Amino acid sequence: VQLQASGGGLAQAGGSLRLSCAASGRGFSTYYMGWFRQAPGKEREFVSIIRSSGSTDYADSVKGRFTISRDNAKNMVYLHMNSLEPEDTAVYYCAASRGIGNHDARDYDYWGQGTQVTVSS
């Protein structure tokens, strides 16, 4: 599976962005798809996951502001980010897990290249 993240950019605090992750390869619908982010000088952290069942989970820091979704017909995963805060500034990565991934980045088998999100105050 190859992943290509896009949609990052510059936003003002309180604004919105939508990240997209295009997946190539077979069996996309069976993968758990996650979003992680890494800010300068910090470790990569979990943001959200959508499982093959469609169930979702979010980091507490983004709960209520971010929404993850997937379109299995298009092999796409999205992260809708609302009410952005300067603390959301980071490189965002999409990742795919063959069914055991959750919040731990070590459980993910495939990673996209990352897309930069910068939120100004």
Side-chain angles (χ1 to χ4, degrees):
V1 174
Q2 291 186 320
L3 304 174
Q4 179 79 30
S6 61
L10 178 64
Q12 291 188 335
S16 300
L17 285 173
R18 187 185 79 162
L19 304 184
S20 300
C21 178
S24 62
R26 302 178 67 177
F28 172 78
S29 63
T30 67
Y31 283 85
Y32 289 14
M33 299 300 299
W35 286 97
F36 289 77
R37 67 186 182 185
Q38 187 166 17
K42 295 188 177 181
E43 293 186 353
R44 190 169 298 190
E45 66 174 1
F46 168 79
V47 175
S48 183
I49 182 175
I50 184 164
R51 301 175 183 87
S52 55
S53 65
S55 66
T56 59
D57 199 11
Y58 299 90
D60 288 343
S61 59
V62 307
K63 201 170 293 183
R65 300 188 297 121
F66 291 10
T67 302
I68 191 171
S69 62
R70 66 191 298 164
D71 185 337
N72 289 334
K74 296 181 179 179
N75 283 15
M76 295 291 295
V77 178
Y78 305 99
L79 186 68
H80 304 258
M81 306 186 295
N82 297 319
S83 302
L84 284 164
E85 303 170 352
E87 293 74 23
D88 296 318
T89 296
V91 177
Y92 284 71
Y93 299 89
C94 63
S97 171
R98 289 174 288 190
I100 64 171
N102 204 350
H103 292 202
D104 192 336
R106 293 172 296 182
D107 290 336
Y108 289 77
D109 306 291
Y110 306 100
W111 290 83
Q113 86 289 0
T115 184
Q116 176 71 48
V117 171
T118 303
V119 183
S120 62
S121 59

